[in-house]
């Protein structure tokens, strides 16, 4: 038992002193391989009518869960709608450039 505690404490110590590196992803430029996929996802789906429809459907589904007295399901749907609507802003705030 002491051996397991020793190895766990050693692992935590090693992980806590390791240097943490952070790198941001950049949006692909016009000639890159993934540019068409990136443009489709950000412009057509997230910022377009599809994204708004997904958010409205999630809010409607949250209303359905409220009608069935399931507050946690409604809360999960509402949080998912807010996160989907503000995904680009969240990505920008954590360093991912859209």
């Amino acid at each position: 038992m002491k051996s397991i505690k020793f190895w766990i404490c050693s692992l935590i110590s090693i992980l806590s002193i390791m240097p943490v590196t952070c790198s941001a992803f950049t949006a692909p430029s016009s000639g890159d391989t993934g540019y068409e996929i990136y443009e489709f996802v950000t412009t057509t789906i997230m910022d377009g009518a599809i994204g708004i429809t997904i958010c409205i459907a999630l809010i409607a589904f949250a209303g359905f869960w409220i009608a069935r007295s399931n507050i946690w399901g409604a809360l999960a749907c509402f949080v998912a709608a807010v996160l989907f609507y503000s995904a680009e802003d969240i990505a920008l705030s954590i360093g991912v450039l859209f």
Side-chain angles (χ1 to χ4, degrees), residues 9-72:
C9 290
S10 299
L11 181 64
I12 291 172
S13 300
I14 290 171
L15 290 176
S16 65
I17 62 172
M18 287 178 60
V20 178
T21 59
C22 173
S23 59
F25 296 103
T26 57
S29 60
S30 181
D32 289 342
T33 305
Y35 179 74
E36 288 81 16
I37 296 170
Y38 165 78
E39 187 67 26
F40 176 75
V41 169
T42 57
T43 306
T44 306
I45 293 178
M46 292 178 67
D47 294 337
I50 296 172
I52 299 299
T53 305
I54 289 171
C55 290
I56 291 172
L58 282 169
I59 291 173
F61 200 56
F64 167 76
W65 283 117
I66 288 173
R68 295 194 52 154
S69 298
N70 187 345
I71 299 301
W72 294 111

Side-chain angles (χ1 to χ4, degrees), residues 59-97:
I59 291 173
F61 200 56
F64 167 76
W65 283 117
I66 288 173
R68 295 194 52 154
S69 298
N70 187 345
I71 299 301
W72 294 111
L75 185 65
C77 288
F78 185 71
V79 167
V82 169
L83 288 176
F84 190 83
Y85 181 73
S86 61
E88 186 174 358
D89 296 330
I90 293 170
L92 287 172
S93 67
I94 61 173
V96 180
L97 303 174

